[in-house]
Amino acid sequence: MDLHQQAKLQELEAILIHTYHPDPQLRHQAENALRSYLRQLGGFMYCLHFLWAGTHVHRDLRQATAIVVKNNTRDFWSSAEKQDEQSSSANESSDSPPWPSTIEEREMIKAKVLDVLLAETDNSIRDLIAETVKIISEFEFPQRWPELVPILVSNIQSPDALKIYNSLLALRKIMKRYEYKSNDDRRPLNDTILVTFPAMQQLMSGILHHNSLEAAAVMRMCLKVLWSCTMHTLPNVGGIDVNLWFQLIAHIMNKPLPEASENIEPLNQPLSYEDRKKWPWWKLKKWAARIMSQFIQRYGNPRFCSKEFKAFSEYFRSNTAALLLGPAMTNLEIKARGGFITDDVQRLCLNYVAACVEMSPTYKVLKPHLDFLLFQVVFPTLCISDEDIRLFNDDPVEFVRKVHNPLEDWLNPLIAATNLLQMMARYRQKDTLPRLMPYLHGLLSEYSSSPVEMRDYKKKDGVLVTIAVIAKILLESNAYKNQLHPFLIYHVIPEFQSPVPFIRSRACWVIEYFNEVDWKENNGSTLQGVLQGLLMGLKDPAIPVQAAAACSMRLIISAEGATDLIRPMLRDIIGEYFRIMDQVESESVLSALQAIVLQFGVEIADMAPTMVQHLINIFNTYAASAEDDEAAFNASQCLDTIAAILEACDTREDVLLQLEPIMLPLLKNIFTEGLDCFEYIDNGVQFMGYLTYSSDTISSTLWVMCGPLLQVLYNWGIDYITEIMVPILNYLSKDIDTFLNTTHNGQPLTMLLLSVVEKVFSNDSSDCGKDSKAAATMLTCLVTCCHPGKSPGPIDSLIPNILYMTLTKLNTILSNKQLKSLRVKIFEIVLAVIYYNPLLAIAVLSSAPSVQSVDSNPLDNNTVKQLFSSLFSNLKDMESTFTQRLIVLSFTSLLTTPLLLNQPGQPLQQQQLPEIVSSNLPNLLKQALRELVMIAEEEEKEGEEGEGGEDAAEEDDEDDDAIEADDDEEDDDDDDDDQAEASKGAKKKISGIDYAKALHVPDGGYDEDEDCINAEDESYREALEVMEKEEKVKRELFLAGEAVDDEDDENEDFTFTSPVESIDIVQHFLDTLRNIEGRDANLMEYLRSSLDNEDHQRLADILKLSTERKERVAAELTNSTV
């Protein structure tokens, strides 16, 4: 190594060491120096030197180097590949390191990195180097690195435990690349499996009875490779002994893991729970259980498998599933005997058993062990643990956080036990409930008869949980539904005053599961008792009791009669909610407050300003914890609750005016770029939508936000255009004059809006041009809200820009048949401009660039002709009433152009009227007539629906009553035929909840010879099938060049309030004709002579409709006077 190289390495060493420096300024300087160093010729290669040096270099330096290499390998290899494609002298971006290298250097790097990995003992550095190997493999494997897998397999078969483990680690990283790849991209994976799986199976079989930690770690890595190769789909390879994998997994799950005190291999099991979780043997069992659970959930039921895997699924269901059930039950038995298994293993085993309940072959094996499963496995898991009791008493705030944390729920065996119990109670009801309910009744009797100080409160907690989680199933059962009210009266309501805090909390929690109970029973006394208990809970000294009461209140308030009981105390209840929220961070408590707001609606209006201010304060506290995901979620819930308050107060304009100054600072923070609140832009836009819509006028306070909204759109928020469009449309339609005369940072709002539209039209990458449709809608709103007829008009100077950007966008989409609705939106802008000022529109169009025709045929360079040709050919797609009105208004405006041409100050003279307009005046009249008839028919239809609405509603109510009566009869008659049909898997074409209930089979469940039909799974499967068929049809239409509906127009809201809608369109049309007849009789005669018999009939119908409307208005006026 020469002196220059030594100097470069010393420089690099100094930089890397300082990247660990505690001083942030020095660390930042080192990071900048490192970036500069890497841009130098050979910089990356010098970094690799410290990895090659092994233990001769300090660990911190090697770790820093490993991080740098891992983070920069992708850029290095990308740069090298570009270099291979072009000359090394090609210009490179200044922001991209050149990093030229030779193929020989890259081959050396691959070999050296792999050698270093195989010999590495440090876990952190090993993982970093393995990730580097994975990155290199993305570029090189398999084409330019065919020796990679043979080298790894060779080391897997070596006697060196370190090389075995490190080779498996590298293999896992490489295979992980293919986890979610489609079958077409998985060939390298399949080829690798053929070589590696036999080697791994042989390795595991050889060390299966070993008890060393190294053996556990190696087997765990083998299972992780298996997981990566099978988690998304099964590999398409033959010659692999699949049964051997499951035999190995079963052996691992059955392996006893004795306590350290037993002095039996494997030795030295840790004592603390956290250390046990990290112990290699428990980590191995977790991966074995994970694979078991994955396979049975994905392949245990052939009904939900794709055709290619049905054969495997049938085999797994009939043979393998029962083989693995034994090991799962063995581990659960260890827990039942008081032994130790980790929560992960327990949860995964419970999930496996739950899947087995659904399938006949495995359920037959499981059925003789139901007592053990219910009373020694499930019920003890549902009881509160000693650890949770300690947490409840010592750190109640953390207890509440844990209870309401969704991630904790997912990892908690209690949830898995709950799911298992619900499966058994619903689908194997005749075998489960007759065992379970007497057992629970016995525990309740024992509890009630025992002295207070002798009661087993943990078992009482378990009983409350057990009945709560199957309450819905019991309510659907004729045999058990009548037992629930007595249960509430005698075993829940008294516990609101229990001397044990966690029982009081559980009593409150239970109520959440009884929201479907008929609270009218017992003259509402049960409801009163529950409400009184929850109100006591809100003021309980124990914080978890308060939180549980607050959460249950959201469900009980919707019960019949509950609102009348709560209304007198509403202000105090809301005050208690805010006091609780000051003590604990709980999304559930916020959701409960939101439910109260929605339930009582405008009744909370007088409290709204105080509530919103308090919620904003809580939001600011949560939002300050920027890196805390849970706090961010709670912050979002605060804003959702504010939205609910705004919705509740939408009829109280006085309250909304009070809320505006309170919310203004929050809105400014959300819409100011660079502040931490921009992630809540969805909520901010929702607020602006409410505030600008609910009042008849927009206050000066809210006008402050119009400019920032448009600025957000232009700078960085284009993705939110369909949401931000809503308040912008409100600004335009409610006060166009203020909009036209307002500026933001010195720029008129009109110009800012046009800049936004132009940016969207030029860069729209959204599906089906959805963003462009929103932009076009705002532009149409701007034009239609500016009253026509003024000279000069308020936006005359903007018309050229509006038309130029519109025509440019039109040119890009006319030939695309898939963008039908976007074309309509673009043409709406043209129609609006013509209605606004037809002569100005024609003058601008006459000097505009050429427009393509819809069929892309070459036309002459007459823009007006091309535009109108395309417009006429697209009229058939313009079906909305608003667009039809624009057609009538714009076409009637064009009919008057001959009358306007010779007036002073007009942009066109007589001889300048385009031939396509002058020659098509009769056609414009005919089309306007057709559109008028369609509008009149639609308005008449809406009027009939409005008149019949009340009667129809009454009929619907009668039908609903009849349905309910029929349902009651079916419950009483025990419709065995329907149940038998459902149990055979017959599909019922019933929607929503009825479909789910039909598959629940509440009266007895399925026999052991039947597979269960899971309602949720079945609905999901059918939904996927429907989606797949729809997508297939769309693909075929698209490939055939046919138009595809680019969206469900009924579900898209691009509507706004415009003066166009308030115009009496019939009278406007007739007035225009009379005006033409009065000023140019020859023109009127020319137009009238062009009409055929059908057109004359349409005109007569229009005249008749106008007369009828006038007579109706006169009659209504006379009646009101009388």
Side-chain angles (χ1 to χ4, degrees), residues 475-476 478 481 518 960-975 997 1003:
L475 281 168
E476 294 171 358
N478 292 327
K481 63 183 179 182
D518 183 4
D960 289 344
D961 292 340
I963 291 171
E964 290 175 5
D966 290 344
D967 287 344
D968 291 341
E969 291 176 9
E970 287 180 7
D971 287 341
D972 294 338
D973 292 343
D974 293 338
D975 195 341
K997 284 183 177 178
D1003 294 329

Tab-separated table of all heavy atoms in Angstrom, residues 475-476 478 481 518 960-975 997 1003:
chain	number	residue	atom	x	y	z
A	475	LEU	N	-77.357	-14.051	21.821
A	475	LEU	CA	-78.559	-13.305	21.468
A	475	LEU	C	-79.254	-13.900	20.250
A	475	LEU	O	-80.471	-13.764	20.083
A	475	LEU	CB	-78.198	-11.839	21.192
A	475	LEU	CG	-77.981	-10.958	22.426
A	475	LEU	CD1	-77.351	-9.633	22.018
A	475	LEU	CD2	-79.298	-10.715	23.149
A	476	GLU	N	-78.493	-14.567	19.381
A	476	GLU	CA	-79.071	-15.181	18.184
A	476	GLU	C	-79.615	-16.579	18.463
A	476	GLU	O	-80.221	-17.193	17.589
A	476	GLU	CB	-78.007	-15.260	17.082
A	476	GLU	CG	-77.541	-13.904	16.569
A	476	GLU	CD	-76.336	-14.012	15.648
A	476	GLU	OE1	-75.861	-15.155	15.449
A	476	GLU	OE2	-75.863	-12.987	15.148
A	478	ASN	N	-82.086	-19.146	20.376
A	478	ASN	CA	-83.334	-19.227	21.140
A	478	ASN	C	-83.117	-19.837	22.515
A	478	ASN	O	-83.823	-19.513	23.466
A	478	ASN	CB	-84.364	-20.057	20.365
A	478	ASN	CG	-84.822	-19.366	19.095
A	478	ASN	OD1	-84.891	-18.141	19.051
A	478	ASN	ND2	-85.110	-20.141	18.060
A	481	LYS	N	-80.801	-16.707	24.598
A	481	LYS	CA	-80.952	-15.253	24.555
A	481	LYS	C	-81.715	-14.706	25.765
A	481	LYS	O	-81.470	-13.573	26.186
A	481	LYS	CB	-81.626	-14.825	23.259
A	481	LYS	CG	-83.036	-15.340	23.054
A	481	LYS	CD	-83.559	-14.888	21.681
A	481	LYS	CE	-84.961	-15.410	21.436
A	481	LYS	NZ	-85.447	-15.008	20.079
A	518	ASP	N	-82.159	-5.975	23.784
A	518	ASP	CA	-83.402	-5.206	23.787
A	518	ASP	C	-83.558	-4.552	25.158
A	518	ASP	O	-83.999	-5.173	26.119
A	518	ASP	CB	-84.596	-6.128	23.494
A	518	ASP	CG	-85.906	-5.349	23.405
A	518	ASP	OD1	-85.866	-4.113	23.503
A	518	ASP	OD2	-86.955	-5.991	23.250
A	960	ASP	N	-90.785	-3.052	6.138
A	960	ASP	CA	-89.805	-3.415	7.159
A	960	ASP	C	-90.467	-4.145	8.301
A	960	ASP	O	-89.938	-5.123	8.833
A	960	ASP	CB	-89.095	-2.152	7.689
A	960	ASP	CG	-88.156	-1.561	6.657
A	960	ASP	OD1	-87.828	-2.276	5.697
A	960	ASP	OD2	-87.760	-0.389	6.825
A	961	ASP	N	-91.677	-3.651	8.711
A	961	ASP	CA	-92.384	-4.334	9.788
A	961	ASP	C	-92.722	-5.762	9.391
A	961	ASP	O	-92.619	-6.696	10.193
A	961	ASP	CB	-93.672	-3.574	10.137
A	961	ASP	CG	-93.370	-2.212	10.774
A	961	ASP	OD1	-92.235	-2.051	11.269
A	961	ASP	OD2	-94.258	-1.338	10.763
A	962	ALA	N	-93.141	-5.913	8.138
A	962	ALA	CA	-93.482	-7.254	7.672
A	962	ALA	C	-92.269	-8.156	7.681
A	962	ALA	O	-92.341	-9.321	8.070
A	962	ALA	CB	-94.068	-7.175	6.256
A	963	ILE	N	-91.129	-7.597	7.273
A	963	ILE	CA	-89.899	-8.391	7.269
A	963	ILE	C	-89.550	-8.827	8.669
A	963	ILE	O	-89.188	-9.970	8.920
A	963	ILE	CB	-88.756	-7.579	6.636
A	963	ILE	CG1	-89.025	-7.409	5.144
A	963	ILE	CG2	-87.420	-8.258	6.860
A	963	ILE	CD1	-88.071	-6.446	4.472
A	964	GLU	N	-89.659	-7.877	9.623
A	964	GLU	CA	-89.329	-8.217	11.006
A	964	GLU	C	-90.247	-9.305	11.526
A	964	GLU	O	-89.821	-10.227	12.217
A	964	GLU	CB	-89.434	-6.968	11.882
A	964	GLU	CG	-88.325	-5.958	11.596
A	964	GLU	CD	-88.516	-4.683	12.396
A	964	GLU	OE1	-89.442	-4.649	13.228
A	964	GLU	OE2	-87.759	-3.726	12.171
A	965	ALA	N	-91.532	-9.217	11.159
A	965	ALA	CA	-92.461	-10.249	11.606
A	965	ALA	C	-92.085	-11.599	11.032
A	965	ALA	O	-92.100	-12.616	11.726
A	965	ALA	CB	-93.892	-9.867	11.203
A	966	ASP	N	-91.719	-11.590	9.744
A	966	ASP	CA	-91.310	-12.852	9.118
A	966	ASP	C	-90.092	-13.425	9.799
A	966	ASP	O	-89.997	-14.627	10.011
A	966	ASP	CB	-91.013	-12.622	7.631
A	966	ASP	CG	-92.287	-12.341	6.840
A	966	ASP	OD1	-93.358	-12.633	7.381
A	966	ASP	OD2	-92.173	-11.820	5.715
A	967	ASP	N	-89.143	-12.537	10.148
A	967	ASP	CA	-87.934	-13.019	10.810
A	967	ASP	C	-88.269	-13.671	12.134
A	967	ASP	O	-87.700	-14.686	12.508
A	967	ASP	CB	-86.956	-11.851	11.036
A	967	ASP	CG	-86.316	-11.416	9.739
A	967	ASP	OD1	-86.404	-12.194	8.771
A	967	ASP	OD2	-85.735	-10.317	9.707
A	968	ASP	N	-89.200	-13.058	12.873
A	968	ASP	CA	-89.573	-13.642	14.162
A	968	ASP	C	-90.160	-15.027	13.972
A	968	ASP	O	-89.874	-15.958	14.734
A	968	ASP	CB	-90.583	-12.735	14.878
A	968	ASP	CG	-89.937	-11.425	15.334
A	968	ASP	OD1	-88.684	-11.409	15.422
A	968	ASP	OD2	-90.667	-10.447	15.582
A	969	GLU	N	-91.022	-15.163	12.959
A	969	GLU	CA	-91.623	-16.464	12.710
A	969	GLU	C	-90.564	-17.495	12.376
A	969	GLU	O	-90.626	-18.632	12.840
A	969	GLU	CB	-92.629	-16.356	11.559
A	969	GLU	CG	-93.879	-15.542	11.930
A	969	GLU	CD	-94.800	-15.366	10.749
A	969	GLU	OE1	-94.538	-16.018	9.717
A	969	GLU	OE2	-95.768	-14.605	10.845
A	970	GLU	N	-89.570	-17.084	11.583
A	970	GLU	CA	-88.515	-18.036	11.215
A	970	GLU	C	-87.746	-18.479	12.440
A	970	GLU	O	-87.387	-19.638	12.583
A	970	GLU	CB	-87.577	-17.396	10.199
A	970	GLU	CG	-88.200	-17.262	8.824
A	970	GLU	CD	-87.250	-16.625	7.849
A	970	GLU	OE1	-86.081	-16.418	8.229
A	970	GLU	OE2	-87.660	-16.350	6.723
A	971	ASP	N	-87.474	-17.532	13.362
A	971	ASP	CA	-86.754	-17.904	14.575
A	971	ASP	C	-87.542	-18.927	15.375
A	971	ASP	O	-86.984	-19.875	15.929
A	971	ASP	CB	-86.503	-16.658	15.434
A	971	ASP	CG	-85.420	-15.773	14.835
A	971	ASP	OD1	-84.661	-16.295	14.004
A	971	ASP	OD2	-85.362	-14.584	15.189
A	972	ASP	N	-88.872	-18.711	15.445
A	972	ASP	CA	-89.687	-19.610	16.257
A	972	ASP	C	-89.813	-20.981	15.615
A	972	ASP	O	-89.920	-21.996	16.303
A	972	ASP	CB	-91.086	-19.010	16.470
A	972	ASP	CG	-91.031	-17.740	17.321
A	972	ASP	OD1	-90.028	-17.597	18.049
A	972	ASP	OD2	-91.959	-16.917	17.232
A	973	ASP	N	-89.812	-20.996	14.287
A	973	ASP	CA	-90.050	-22.267	13.604
A	973	ASP	C	-88.801	-23.106	13.437
A	973	ASP	O	-88.894	-24.261	13.024
A	973	ASP	CB	-90.662	-22.005	12.212
A	973	ASP	CG	-92.069	-21.441	12.333
A	973	ASP	OD1	-92.644	-21.570	13.429
A	973	ASP	OD2	-92.558	-20.865	11.353
A	974	ASP	N	-87.620	-22.539	13.767
A	974	ASP	CA	-86.367	-23.295	13.588
A	974	ASP	C	-86.291	-23.871	12.187
A	974	ASP	O	-86.468	-25.068	11.966
A	974	ASP	CB	-86.247	-24.439	14.614
A	974	ASP	CG	-86.089	-23.889	16.007
A	974	ASP	OD1	-85.659	-22.725	16.130
A	974	ASP	OD2	-86.397	-24.610	16.949
A	975	ASP	N	-86.003	-23.006	11.235
A	975	ASP	CA	-86.015	-23.412	9.825
A	975	ASP	C	-84.841	-24.322	9.519
A	975	ASP	O	-83.793	-23.911	9.061
A	975	ASP	CB	-85.959	-22.147	8.940
A	975	ASP	CG	-86.342	-22.469	7.518
A	975	ASP	OD1	-86.287	-23.653	7.159
A	975	ASP	OD2	-86.697	-21.540	6.787
A	997	LYS	N	-75.861	-13.507	8.670
A	997	LYS	CA	-76.672	-14.257	9.635
A	997	LYS	C	-77.080	-15.607	9.067
A	997	LYS	O	-77.152	-16.597	9.787
A	997	LYS	CB	-77.917	-13.444	9.997
A	997	LYS	CG	-77.629	-12.289	10.954
A	997	LYS	CD	-78.900	-11.575	11.340
A	997	LYS	CE	-78.616	-10.478	12.353
A	997	LYS	NZ	-79.832	-9.737	12.724
A	1003	ASP	N	-78.589	-22.009	15.443
A	1003	ASP	CA	-79.273	-23.055	16.198
A	1003	ASP	C	-78.555	-24.386	16.073
A	1003	ASP	O	-78.933	-25.253	15.295
A	1003	ASP	CB	-80.729	-23.184	15.726
A	1003	ASP	CG	-81.533	-21.947	16.046
A	1003	ASP	OD1	-81.221	-21.295	17.063
A	1003	ASP	OD2	-82.451	-21.627	15.284
